Amino acid sequence: MARPYRRSDFDVTDTVQVSSPPAVRAAVLQLYSDTWPGAPITTLETALADFERLFTGQTPGYLGVDTVYHDLQHSQDMVLATARLMAGYEKSHPDGPRIGAERALMGMVTALFHDSGYIREIAEKDTPNGAVFTRQHVTRSARHLGRYLPTIGLADWVPVSTHIVHFTGYEMPLDLIRVGDPRDRLVGHMLGTADMLAQMADRCYLEKCRDRLYAEFVLGDIAAHKGAGGVKVLYGSGLDLLRQTPQFVATTIDNRLGGAFDHAYRHVEPLFGGDNPYMDAIRQNVEYLRGLARSSRWRMLRRNPPVFTVEQNAMQGVRSLLVEHLKKVWSVPAPVNTG
């Protein structure tokens, strides 16, 4: 069972601080070494270090992560979930088909950089925030992976990685993601699954949807945008997004995690004695949200977890950008949240 009082920046087991690069690095390397004994870990160590440099603004040519929902913690939570899915699968399939150490390495590197497309390059410094790239961030991540993989000796995996990273997004229909080996599609399913598990099982998922994801949706012209027929509004506020979240989660579990990804979320269960702490945490989040909706006690959502971006006042800055963007869309001042 998921621990109900786990710390805000820890994983579902409350054992790995997913906001900490050293903690996640140790956990991922341990899973990799335990699952594929004798496989070299140098390349994975390099990728983990390069990820940290990129997201913290230390990679030449890049500005570091500034998206408040898709921050450093989310990507680290996601790569940990990916490593667990792969390890659980290998443990429960001793007679094959096996993922294998090299394919797993490619999958973990792809997981690390699956949201690199949100990060602005130096030439994009006039773009106010990486959330502007929401609609095309996976394609941008694929482009980054295509450049990065050859630098760590994984050039042969570029055609696979740059395709399966699209399982983490909505820019390409899933049935159009072409790979030659069924094991590559399996890894892609794990990537897409881990991305959703890490988000929906987050202890502060509800607050982050209301306060952070909504802001990214506004800046990415998803919450509302001008069209030929006027302004089309999908989410009128952070609270409006939250009200629609139970249906989103249900649809995601049934159609995406269950159907499209063939219940890949179950591959973590061999590591936890048949339990699934991610799905337990997701159910807990949704049950709590449904209770809030029935009672309208929205003020109970009062967690304010830290943001792990390169910006010192990330939330204040993104709120200002949100308001300015809404003014441009509606041509009138608009509240950040209602209710």
Side-chain angles (χ1 to χ4, degrees), residues 11-39:
D11 78 308
V12 289
T13 68
D14 199 42
T15 60
V16 181
Q17 186 179 5
V18 286
S19 64
S20 165
V24 172
R25 181 165 57 247
V28 169
L29 290 173
Q30 189 67 56
L31 281 163
Y32 187 77
S33 297
D34 289 349
T35 306
W36 296 278

Side-chain angles (χ1 to χ4, degrees), residues 41-301:
I41 63 171
T42 305
T43 301
L44 184 54
E45 288 176 324
T46 298
L48 286 158
D50 289 343
F51 160 83
E52 181 181 356
R53 282 191 286 268
L54 177 66
F55 274 66
T56 57
Q58 300 177 63
T59 298
Y62 295 88
L63 296 172
V65 67
D66 61 0
T67 42
V68 293
Y69 182 86
H70 293 93
D71 63 354
L72 178 143
Q73 176 180 323
H74 162 66
S75 286
Q76 295 202 140
D77 206 351
M78 187 275 204
V79 75
L80 176 61
T82 300
R84 284 172 170 165
L85 288 167
M86 291 181 179
Y89 175 87
E90 294 288 78
K91 181 177 181 180
S92 59
H93 290 75
D95 299 322
R98 307 278 285 178
I99 296 172
E102 188 173 348
R103 179 174 283 102
L105 171 63
M106 176 276 299
M108 291 183 195
V109 174
T110 305
L112 278 169
F113 295 99
H114 82 284
D115 275 344
S116 58
Y118 281 111
I119 296 179
R120 295 174 297 155
E121 299 180 22
I122 293 293
E124 298 166 329
K125 63 181 184 299
D126 292 334
T127 300
N129 187 273
V132 170
F133 303 126
T134 296
R135 289 182 179 273
Q136 66 267 28
H137 81 276
V138 182
T139 298
R140 287 168 56 90
S141 297
R143 188 162 62 242
H144 180 82
L145 282 161
R147 294 192 298 260
Y148 177 70
L149 289 175
T151 70
I152 57 171
L154 295 179
D156 290 346
W157 288 100
V158 167
V160 175
S161 174
T162 56
H163 278 77
I164 66 173
V165 70
H166 279 281
F167 283 107
T168 69
Y170 296 84
E171 296 169 34
M172 182 183 295
L174 298 178
D175 58 355
L176 295 184
I177 302 174
R178 308 296 186 189
V179 289
D181 192 311
R183 292 172 296 177
D184 296 331
R185 181 165 293 273
L186 171 62
V187 172
H189 289 173
M190 291 180 183
L191 291 173
T193 297
D195 192 23
M196 298 313 304
L197 294 182
Q199 294 180 58
M200 298 189 302
D202 190 303
R203 181 175 182 263
C204 301
Y205 176 57
L206 305 183
E207 287 91 346
K208 288 182 178 181
C209 283
R210 181 192 63 194
D211 302 332
R212 304 181 187 183
L213 184 59
Y214 173 67
E216 291 189 14
F217 280 173
V218 168
L219 296 178
D221 286 321
I222 291 176
H225 64 276
K226 289 183 178 178
V231 177
K232 181 178 180 181
V233 179
L234 184 60
Y235 305 113
S237 67
L239 188 55
D240 186 25
L241 185 153
L242 208 52
R243 289 191 180 104
Q244 298 183 49
T245 295
Q247 183 57 52
F248 168 78
V249 173
T251 300
T252 297
I253 291 175
D254 289 344
N255 297 344
R256 201 165 177 89
L257 301 187
F261 298 159
D262 197 24
H263 300 90
Y265 61 84
R266 299 206 61 184
H267 295 315
V268 301
E269 294 169 9
L271 302 183
F272 297 102
D275 291 334
N276 195 314
Y278 288 96
M279 299 303 289
D280 289 343
I282 292 169
R283 282 190 287 268
Q284 187 177 57
N285 279 337
V286 172
E287 288 170 7
Y288 188 70
L289 177 54
R290 291 188 187 279
L292 292 177
R294 287 192 297 268
S295 65
S296 295
R297 298 178 66 187
W298 297 108
R299 296 184 186 280
M300 294 295 291
L301 289 179

